[in-house]
Amino acid sequence: MRTIVVFFALLIAAFAAPVDDSRSAQILKYDSENIGIDGYRFEFETSDGTARQEQAELRNAGTDTESIVVRGSYSYIGPDGTQYVISYVADENGFQPEGAHIPK
């Protein structure tokens, strides 16, 4: 009898556990373009509310100041149910993120 009670207690606990939707997220949109050494771009969206887009370009090709500039953004739904959006630039000045929730 005690074994049956423990079994059902474990079964109830397993069904009551929160489900991690990110493990079962489906890809809704994906697009990618690699334009060689001049840059790239890509974007995707998933069913759990995650999205990302990014593009890069080569600046000052063939000079001493040659660099790649990356611009993009990503968003996700936090554990509190809020959608967080971060935009960023990465260039010769470093990684520069911006978002309403990021202190300035």
Side-chain angles (χ1 to χ4, degrees):
M1 178 70 165
R2 190 157 110 188
T3 306
I4 293 173
V5 171
V6 170
F7 172 76
F8 280 111
L10 290 173
L11 186 65
I12 290 170
F15 282 111
V19 175
D20 182 3
D21 289 336
S22 66
R23 296 171 93 185
S24 61
Q26 301 294 311
I27 297 171
L28 303 176
K29 178 181 182 180
Y30 177 79
D31 191 26
S32 176
E33 181 180 358
N34 183 347
I35 53 177
I37 60 172
D38 292 329
Y40 64 86
R41 69 164 200 78
F42 71 87
E43 64 182 308
F44 69 83
E45 293 178 22
T46 61
S47 61
D48 66 353
T50 300
R52 182 171 173 193
Q53 66 86 22
E54 183 175 291
Q55 59 275 337
E57 67 176 282
L58 183 63
R59 283 194 186 161
N60 305 315
T63 69
D64 289 342
T65 59
E66 180 177 283
S67 64
I68 192 161
V69 177
V70 178
R71 297 179 188 281
S73 66
Y74 61 94
S75 62
Y76 62 94
I77 307 298
D80 60 356
T82 301
Q83 181 182 34
Y84 293 93
V85 179
I86 295 88
S87 298
Y88 57 89
V89 174
D91 59 14
E92 63 274 1
N93 298 313
F95 181 69
Q96 305 149 57
E98 293 182 0
H101 64 288
I102 298 174
K104 296 187 185 238

